[in-house]
Amino acid sequence: MTEKPKIFLTRELPPETMSLLHDQCELTMNREDRVLEKSEIIAGIQGVDGLLCLLTDTIDADIMDANPDLKVIANFAVGFNNIDVAAATERKLPVTNTPGVLTETTADMAWALLMDAARRVSEGDRLVRTKSWNGWGPLQLLGADVSGGTLGLVGMGRIARAMAKRAIGFDMRILYWNRTRLETADERIMGAEFVELDELLTLSDFLSLHVALTPETKHLIGATELAKMKSTAILVNTARGPVVDEQALVAALQTGTIAGAGLDVYEHEPALAPELYELENVVVAPHLGSATIGTRTKMGNMAANNCLSACRGTRPANLVNPEIYV
Ligand code: GLV
C-alpha cells in the first residue's frame, strides 16, 4: 500500500471535510479556534507534503522556503490575495482555490447587505432591542426602494453575474464595469449594460463590488470615486476590504456623500475603522460571504481534494497558477 500524503491544516474545517482528510491523509492541524502565527505555520509544515490554509493565513516566500519539499498550497477560499502566488510559481509550487461553489451563497450575502442597508433592517433591529421603539410612524426609518433601482456591478465575474440574476427579479436596471467587456450576446442574457467606471459611479443606486484584490484594485473606490456617487446611493462590499479606502468611506458616510453601506469585508480585518462601529448608516457583517453549512462543506471538500491531488503528484482541479504545469 502506498503511504498516505501528509497534510498540515491551519484550522478545523466542516465535519465532512474532516472525515475526508482523516480518511485519506496523515493529518496534523491547529486544533485551536484561532489564526496561527507565521512561526506556527512554519513549524506545522515541517515534513508534510501539503498545506491546507485559509484566507486569514498570510503565506509568503519565507513559509514556502521553510519546507522546500512542500507540494501544494491549497487555499480554502476563492480569493487568494493572502498567498504570494508569484513566489509560489517561481518555486513551481501549485496554489489552488475554491471557485464556483460559493458563488450563489456570496451573492445572497451581498443581496442581504444591499436589502438591509436600503431598508434599514439592522438599524430598526437596534431601535427595537434598545427598547427605543415607540410604535409605527409615517416618517420612521424611511429607506430606499430596491425594486426598480439601478444596480451597478464593479467586476463581472461569477458572483457579479449571480447578482445580475437576482436584480432581474427586482426589475432593476443592471449596469456593469469590467476590465474586459462581455460579448454582446452575454450582455443580453445577463440583461446588463457596460459603462465606464465613472458612469457606473454616477448612475448607480446600489454599487456592489465583485473584483479580486490585486495591486490594481486596491483602493479602487476612494474619496474621488465616492464623490461621484449619488447622495442616495448605497455601497456594498463582499469582495475584499482594501478594494475600498475605508477612511474615505467613513468620511462619505459621515458627511452624506453617499447614503449608506453594507460591508462584509474590511481593510484590516478583524479591526474596523473605529467610526464604523458607531455609524448608523452602515451594516457591518463579519466576513460571512460563504458562511453556510452547505457551501463551507463544498469549499472544504474542494480544497482537501485539491491538496490531496497535488500531494499524490496529479494536477489539482482548481489551480491558480496553471503555468507551472506547462
Ligand atoms: C472568501 O472571502 C473567499 O474568498 O472565499
Side-chain angles (χ1 to χ4, degrees):
M1 204 181 81
T2 52
E3 257 183 55
K4 285 181 177 179
K6 295 185 177 67
I7 290 177
F8 179 65
L9 168 64
T10 59
R11 201 155 171 186
E12 185 172 353
L13 295 178
E16 199 179 294
T17 306
M18 294 312 301
S19 302
L20 187 156
L21 287 168
H22 283 302
D23 195 44
Q24 306 215 14
C25 72
E26 221 177 277
L27 186 70
T28 48
M29 63 181 281
N30 165 28
R31 293 185 185 279
E32 291 173 43
D33 194 20
R34 66 173 175 87
V35 178
L36 291 180
E37 301 290 339
K38 180 172 174 174
S39 59
E40 294 174 303
I41 299 178
I42 287 178
I45 60 169
Q46 296 310 307
V48 304
D49 304 300
L51 168 60
L52 185 35
C53 60
L54 316 177
L55 62 90
T56 42
D57 301 317
T58 301
I59 309 298
D60 61 13
D62 296 341
I63 294 183
M64 298 171 201
D65 290 339
N67 175 2
D69 298 325
L70 198 66
K71 294 189 178 74
V72 60
I73 300 167
N75 213 29
F76 173 80
V78 66
F80 46 83
N81 54 289
N82 57 306
I83 300 170
D84 186 342
V85 177
T89 304
E90 251 172 54
R91 290 160 178 76
K92 299 259 178 280
L93 187 54
V95 176
T96 67
N97 69 339
T98 63
V101 290
L102 46 68
T103 302
E104 300 298 335
T105 303
T106 306
D108 285 348
M109 186 67 195
W111 206 265
L113 290 170
L114 185 157
M115 294 290 286
D116 188 334
R119 298 304 306 276
R120 305 173 69 175
V121 179
S122 292
E123 219 181 320
D125 182 88
R126 287 192 290 276
L127 184 81
V128 174
R129 283 175 195 277
T130 53
K131 302 209 163 66
S132 312
W133 185 45
N134 300 319
W136 184 89
L139 302 178
Q140 192 175 66
L141 287 177
L142 304 186
D145 274 313
V146 175
S147 295
T150 296
L151 175 66
L153 297 167
V154 178
M156 208 14 138
R158 283 175 290 256
I159 300 169
R161 287 162 186 248
M163 289 296 282
K165 215 166 62 180
R166 283 155 181 72
I168 288 170
F170 283 79
D171 294 324
M172 296 176 91
R173 181 180 183 200
I174 306 163
L175 305 177
Y176 79 98
W177 170 78
N178 197 42
R179 241 181 347 186
T180 49
R181 189 174 171 169
L182 301 184
E183 299 289 328
T184 314
D186 251 2
E187 285 182 354
R188 216 168 282 143
I189 292 167
M190 314 272 317
E193 299 163 50
F194 176 86
V195 290
E196 291 302 335
L197 183 58
D198 270 2
E199 212 180 333
L200 191 76
L201 295 165
T202 315
L203 296 175
S204 299
D205 297 310
F206 304 95
L207 189 80
S208 193
L209 308 181
H210 302 286
V211 288
L213 174 61
T214 64
E216 291 76 41
T217 61
K218 183 166 186 227
H219 286 191
L220 182 67
I221 305 298
T224 312
E225 289 71 27
L226 289 161
K228 290 181 179 155
M229 290 174 69
K230 294 184 186 181
S231 60
T232 50
I234 286 168
L235 176 73
V236 176
N237 190 8
T238 53
R240 283 290 183 267
V243 174
V244 177
D245 177 342
E246 201 164 287
Q247 275 311 324
L249 175 62
V250 164
L253 290 168
Q254 282 172 332
T255 55
T257 302
I258 65 169
L263 306 177
D264 193 37
V265 289
Y266 307 91
E267 259 202 276
H268 307 288
E269 283 179 33
L272 277 63
E275 299 87 345
L276 290 178
Y277 295 102
E278 310 300 333
L279 280 165
E280 286 292 348
N281 56 347
V282 59
V283 182
V284 285
H287 203 148
L288 294 176
S290 63
T292 67
I293 298 165
T295 292
R296 287 280 165 88
T297 300
K298 285 184 202 147
M299 288 167 66
N301 294 353
M302 191 180 237
N305 282 320
N306 284 330
C307 198
L308 286 161
S309 296
C311 290
R312 291 176 185 135
T314 48
R315 185 188 161 113
N318 310 106
L319 273 172
V320 163
N321 53 351
E323 60 270 35
I324 66 162
Y325 280 89
V326 292

Short mmCIF file of all heavy atoms in Angstrom, two decimals, residues 197-198 201-202 207 209 217-231 235 241-258 267:
data_model
loop_
_atom_site.label_atom_id
_atom_site.label_comp_id
_atom_site.label_asym_id
_atom_site.label_seq_id
_atom_site.Cartn_x
_atom_site.Cartn_y
_atom_site.Cartn_z
N LEU A 197 -16.31 53.12 -15.59
CA LEU A 197 -16.44 53.18 -14.13
C LEU A 197 -17.05 54.51 -13.65
O LEU A 197 -17.93 54.52 -12.78
CB LEU A 197 -15.08 52.94 -13.46
CG LEU A 197 -15.07 52.91 -11.93
CD1 LEU A 197 -16.01 51.84 -11.38
CD2 LEU A 197 -13.66 52.69 -11.39
N ASP A 198 -16.62 55.61 -14.23
CA ASP A 198 -17.13 56.92 -13.81
C ASP A 198 -18.65 57.00 -13.96
O ASP A 198 -19.35 57.51 -13.09
CB ASP A 198 -16.51 58.03 -14.68
CG ASP A 198 -15.24 58.54 -14.06
OD1 ASP A 198 -14.84 57.99 -12.99
OD2 ASP A 198 -14.63 59.46 -14.62
N LEU A 201 -20.42 54.88 -11.40
CA LEU A 201 -20.48 55.55 -10.10
C LEU A 201 -21.61 56.57 -10.07
O LEU A 201 -22.36 56.69 -9.10
CB LEU A 201 -19.15 56.25 -9.81
CG LEU A 201 -17.93 55.34 -9.65
CD1 LEU A 201 -16.63 56.14 -9.74
CD2 LEU A 201 -17.98 54.58 -8.33
N THR A 202 -21.74 57.30 -11.16
CA THR A 202 -22.73 58.38 -11.23
C THR A 202 -24.16 57.86 -11.29
O THR A 202 -25.07 58.47 -10.72
CB THR A 202 -22.47 59.21 -12.52
OG1 THR A 202 -21.08 59.45 -12.61
CG2 THR A 202 -23.20 60.52 -12.52
N LEU A 207 -24.21 50.14 -5.55
CA LEU A 207 -22.94 49.80 -6.20
C LEU A 207 -22.36 48.60 -5.45
O LEU A 207 -22.05 48.71 -4.26
CB LEU A 207 -21.98 50.99 -6.14
CG LEU A 207 -20.72 50.82 -6.98
CD1 LEU A 207 -21.02 51.11 -8.46
CD2 LEU A 207 -19.61 51.73 -6.50
N LEU A 209 -19.45 45.57 -5.20
CA LEU A 209 -18.07 45.31 -5.65
C LEU A 209 -17.81 43.81 -5.79
O LEU A 209 -18.04 43.05 -4.84
CB LEU A 209 -17.08 45.91 -4.65
CG LEU A 209 -17.32 47.39 -4.32
CD1 LEU A 209 -16.26 47.89 -3.34
CD2 LEU A 209 -17.33 48.24 -5.58
N THR A 217 -6.58 46.86 -8.02
CA THR A 217 -7.91 47.13 -7.45
C THR A 217 -7.84 47.66 -6.02
O THR A 217 -8.86 47.97 -5.44
CB THR A 217 -8.81 45.87 -7.47
OG1 THR A 217 -8.19 44.85 -6.68
CG2 THR A 217 -9.05 45.37 -8.88
N LYS A 218 -6.63 47.76 -5.44
CA LYS A 218 -6.52 48.32 -4.10
C LYS A 218 -6.99 49.78 -4.13
O LYS A 218 -6.56 50.54 -4.99
CB LYS A 218 -5.07 48.23 -3.61
CG LYS A 218 -4.96 48.74 -2.19
CD LYS A 218 -3.68 48.41 -1.50
CE LYS A 218 -3.85 48.87 -0.06
NZ LYS A 218 -2.73 49.62 0.43
N HIS A 219 -7.89 50.13 -3.25
CA HIS A 219 -8.46 51.48 -3.17
C HIS A 219 -9.09 51.91 -4.50
O HIS A 219 -9.06 53.08 -4.86
CB HIS A 219 -7.43 52.50 -2.71
CG HIS A 219 -7.14 52.38 -1.24
ND1 HIS A 219 -6.42 53.31 -0.55
CD2 HIS A 219 -7.49 51.46 -0.32
CE1 HIS A 219 -6.34 52.96 0.73
NE2 HIS A 219 -6.98 51.81 0.89
N LEU A 220 -9.65 50.95 -5.22
CA LEU A 220 -10.37 51.27 -6.45
C LEU A 220 -11.48 52.28 -6.15
O LEU A 220 -11.78 53.16 -6.95
CB LEU A 220 -10.97 49.98 -7.04
CG LEU A 220 -11.72 50.08 -8.34
CD1 LEU A 220 -10.78 50.46 -9.49
CD2 LEU A 220 -12.41 48.75 -8.69
N ILE A 221 -12.09 52.11 -4.96
CA ILE A 221 -13.12 53.06 -4.53
C ILE A 221 -12.54 53.90 -3.39
O ILE A 221 -12.36 53.42 -2.26
CB ILE A 221 -14.40 52.32 -4.07
CG1 ILE A 221 -14.92 51.38 -5.18
CG2 ILE A 221 -15.47 53.32 -3.63
CD1 ILE A 221 -15.35 52.05 -6.48
N GLY A 222 -12.21 55.15 -3.72
CA GLY A 222 -11.66 56.09 -2.75
C GLY A 222 -12.51 57.35 -2.73
O GLY A 222 -13.62 57.38 -3.27
N ALA A 223 -11.95 58.42 -2.14
CA ALA A 223 -12.70 59.67 -1.98
C ALA A 223 -13.21 60.20 -3.33
O ALA A 223 -14.37 60.63 -3.44
CB ALA A 223 -11.82 60.71 -1.30
N THR A 224 -12.37 60.15 -4.35
CA THR A 224 -12.77 60.68 -5.67
C THR A 224 -13.96 59.92 -6.23
O THR A 224 -14.90 60.51 -6.77
CB THR A 224 -11.57 60.54 -6.66
OG1 THR A 224 -10.41 61.03 -6.01
CG2 THR A 224 -11.80 61.27 -7.95
N GLU A 225 -13.90 58.58 -6.09
CA GLU A 225 -14.98 57.75 -6.65
C GLU A 225 -16.25 57.95 -5.84
O GLU A 225 -17.35 58.06 -6.39
CB GLU A 225 -14.56 56.27 -6.65
CG GLU A 225 -13.47 55.93 -7.66
CD GLU A 225 -12.10 56.49 -7.30
OE1 GLU A 225 -11.85 56.68 -6.08
OE2 GLU A 225 -11.29 56.75 -8.21
N LEU A 226 -16.12 57.98 -4.52
CA LEU A 226 -17.31 58.15 -3.65
C LEU A 226 -18.00 59.48 -3.96
O LEU A 226 -19.23 59.58 -3.96
CB LEU A 226 -16.90 58.05 -2.18
CG LEU A 226 -16.48 56.64 -1.73
CD1 LEU A 226 -15.65 56.69 -0.45
CD2 LEU A 226 -17.71 55.74 -1.53
N ALA A 227 -17.18 60.51 -4.24
CA ALA A 227 -17.74 61.83 -4.53
C ALA A 227 -18.58 61.83 -5.79
O ALA A 227 -19.47 62.68 -5.97
CB ALA A 227 -16.62 62.86 -4.64
N LYS A 228 -18.31 60.89 -6.67
CA LYS A 228 -19.08 60.82 -7.93
C LYS A 228 -20.41 60.10 -7.75
O LYS A 228 -21.26 60.12 -8.64
CB LYS A 228 -18.25 60.09 -9.00
CG LYS A 228 -17.07 60.92 -9.44
CD LYS A 228 -16.25 60.23 -10.50
CE LYS A 228 -15.10 61.16 -10.89
NZ LYS A 228 -13.96 60.48 -11.41
N MET A 229 -20.57 59.41 -6.64
CA MET A 229 -21.80 58.61 -6.44
C MET A 229 -22.96 59.51 -6.01
O MET A 229 -22.78 60.62 -5.52
CB MET A 229 -21.54 57.54 -5.37
CG MET A 229 -20.59 56.45 -5.86
SD MET A 229 -20.12 55.25 -4.58
CE MET A 229 -21.67 54.39 -4.31
N LYS A 230 -24.18 58.98 -6.19
CA LYS A 230 -25.38 59.73 -5.77
C LYS A 230 -25.38 59.84 -4.24
O LYS A 230 -24.96 58.90 -3.55
CB LYS A 230 -26.63 58.95 -6.17
CG LYS A 230 -26.87 58.83 -7.66
CD LYS A 230 -28.21 58.13 -7.88
CE LYS A 230 -28.44 57.85 -9.34
NZ LYS A 230 -29.73 57.21 -9.62
N SER A 231 -25.93 60.92 -3.74
CA SER A 231 -26.01 61.07 -2.27
C SER A 231 -27.00 60.07 -1.66
O SER A 231 -27.01 59.84 -0.47
CB SER A 231 -26.39 62.50 -1.90
OG SER A 231 -27.65 62.79 -2.47
N LEU A 235 -23.34 51.55 -1.02
CA LEU A 235 -22.19 50.76 -1.47
C LEU A 235 -22.20 49.41 -0.76
O LEU A 235 -22.39 49.35 0.47
CB LEU A 235 -20.89 51.51 -1.12
CG LEU A 235 -19.59 50.77 -1.43
CD1 LEU A 235 -19.32 50.75 -2.93
CD2 LEU A 235 -18.41 51.43 -0.70
N GLY A 241 -11.75 43.93 1.65
CA GLY A 241 -11.76 45.25 2.28
C GLY A 241 -10.92 46.29 1.56
O GLY A 241 -11.40 47.40 1.28
N PRO A 242 -9.65 45.96 1.24
CA PRO A 242 -8.79 47.00 0.67
C PRO A 242 -9.21 47.51 -0.71
O PRO A 242 -8.60 48.45 -1.22
CB PRO A 242 -7.42 46.31 0.61
CG PRO A 242 -7.49 45.22 1.63
CD PRO A 242 -8.91 44.74 1.61
N VAL A 243 -10.23 46.92 -1.33
CA VAL A 243 -10.73 47.48 -2.59
C VAL A 243 -11.32 48.87 -2.33
O VAL A 243 -11.37 49.73 -3.20
CB VAL A 243 -11.78 46.52 -3.23
CG1 VAL A 243 -12.41 47.14 -4.46
CG2 VAL A 243 -11.14 45.17 -3.58
N VAL A 244 -11.74 49.10 -1.08
CA VAL A 244 -12.29 50.41 -0.70
C VAL A 244 -11.32 51.09 0.26
O VAL A 244 -10.77 50.46 1.16
CB VAL A 244 -13.66 50.23 0.02
CG1 VAL A 244 -14.21 51.56 0.50
CG2 VAL A 244 -14.65 49.54 -0.91
N ASP A 245 -11.12 52.38 0.07
CA ASP A 245 -10.36 53.18 1.04
C ASP A 245 -11.31 53.40 2.23
O ASP A 245 -12.23 54.22 2.14
CB ASP A 245 -9.93 54.49 0.38
CG ASP A 245 -9.20 55.42 1.34
OD1 ASP A 245 -9.31 55.23 2.57
OD2 ASP A 245 -8.53 56.34 0.84
N GLU A 246 -11.08 52.66 3.30
CA GLU A 246 -12.05 52.63 4.41
C GLU A 246 -12.22 54.00 5.08
O GLU A 246 -13.33 54.37 5.46
CB GLU A 246 -11.60 51.57 5.43
CG GLU A 246 -12.70 51.07 6.33
CD GLU A 246 -12.33 49.77 7.03
OE1 GLU A 246 -12.31 48.71 6.37
OE2 GLU A 246 -12.06 49.81 8.24
N GLN A 247 -11.12 54.74 5.20
CA GLN A 247 -11.22 56.08 5.82
C GLN A 247 -12.05 57.01 4.93
O GLN A 247 -12.84 57.82 5.43
CB GLN A 247 -9.83 56.68 6.08
CG GLN A 247 -9.21 56.25 7.41
CD GLN A 247 -10.16 56.39 8.62
OE1 GLN A 247 -10.98 57.31 8.72
NE2 GLN A 247 -10.09 55.44 9.55
N ALA A 248 -11.86 56.91 3.63
CA ALA A 248 -12.64 57.73 2.70
C ALA A 248 -14.12 57.34 2.79
O ALA A 248 -15.00 58.20 2.73
CB ALA A 248 -12.12 57.55 1.27
N LEU A 249 -14.38 56.06 2.96
CA LEU A 249 -15.77 55.60 3.09
C LEU A 249 -16.39 56.15 4.37
O LEU A 249 -17.54 56.62 4.37
CB LEU A 249 -15.83 54.07 3.07
CG LEU A 249 -17.23 53.48 3.31
CD1 LEU A 249 -18.22 53.91 2.22
CD2 LEU A 249 -17.18 51.95 3.41
N VAL A 250 -15.63 56.10 5.45
CA VAL A 250 -16.12 56.66 6.72
C VAL A 250 -16.53 58.12 6.52
O VAL A 250 -17.63 58.53 6.89
CB VAL A 250 -15.04 56.54 7.84
CG1 VAL A 250 -15.36 57.43 9.02
CG2 VAL A 250 -14.90 55.07 8.28
N ALA A 251 -15.65 58.88 5.89
CA ALA A 251 -15.94 60.31 5.65
C ALA A 251 -17.20 60.46 4.80
O ALA A 251 -18.06 61.32 5.08
CB ALA A 251 -14.75 60.98 4.98
N ALA A 252 -17.33 59.63 3.77
CA ALA A 252 -18.50 59.73 2.87
C ALA A 252 -19.79 59.39 3.62
O ALA A 252 -20.84 60.00 3.38
CB ALA A 252 -18.31 58.80 1.68
N LEU A 253 -19.71 58.44 4.53
CA LEU A 253 -20.91 58.07 5.31
C LEU A 253 -21.23 59.13 6.35
O LEU A 253 -22.40 59.39 6.65
CB LEU A 253 -20.68 56.71 6.00
CG LEU A 253 -20.61 55.49 5.08
CD1 LEU A 253 -20.10 54.26 5.83
CD2 LEU A 253 -21.98 55.19 4.46
N GLN A 254 -20.19 59.75 6.89
CA GLN A 254 -20.41 60.79 7.91
C GLN A 254 -21.00 62.06 7.32
O GLN A 254 -21.82 62.72 7.95
CB GLN A 254 -19.07 61.14 8.60
CG GLN A 254 -18.65 60.13 9.63
CD GLN A 254 -17.23 60.39 10.15
OE1 GLN A 254 -16.39 60.95 9.45
NE2 GLN A 254 -16.98 59.98 11.39
N THR A 255 -20.55 62.40 6.11
CA THR A 255 -20.96 63.68 5.54
C THR A 255 -22.15 63.57 4.60
O THR A 255 -22.61 64.56 4.05
CB THR A 255 -19.78 64.31 4.74
OG1 THR A 255 -19.37 63.33 3.77
CG2 THR A 255 -18.61 64.66 5.63
N GLY A 256 -22.63 62.33 4.38
CA GLY A 256 -23.79 62.16 3.50
C GLY A 256 -23.42 62.21 2.02
O GLY A 256 -24.29 62.41 1.17
N THR A 257 -22.14 62.01 1.71
CA THR A 257 -21.73 61.91 0.29
C THR A 257 -22.46 60.74 -0.36
O THR A 257 -22.88 60.80 -1.51
CB THR A 257 -20.20 61.71 0.21
OG1 THR A 257 -19.58 62.80 0.87
CG2 THR A 257 -19.71 61.62 -1.22
N ILE A 258 -22.58 59.64 0.40
CA ILE A 258 -23.45 58.54 -0.02
C ILE A 258 -24.38 58.24 1.17
O ILE A 258 -24.10 58.65 2.31
CB ILE A 258 -22.68 57.26 -0.47
CG1 ILE A 258 -21.89 56.63 0.68
CG2 ILE A 258 -21.78 57.56 -1.65
CD1 ILE A 258 -21.34 55.24 0.35
N GLU A 267 -10.61 46.70 5.58
CA GLU A 267 -9.21 46.85 5.19
C GLU A 267 -8.26 46.11 6.10
O GLU A 267 -7.26 45.57 5.65
CB GLU A 267 -8.84 48.34 5.16
CG GLU A 267 -8.84 48.88 3.78
CD GLU A 267 -8.02 50.12 3.61
OE1 GLU A 267 -8.56 51.21 3.90
OE2 GLU A 267 -6.85 50.03 3.19
#
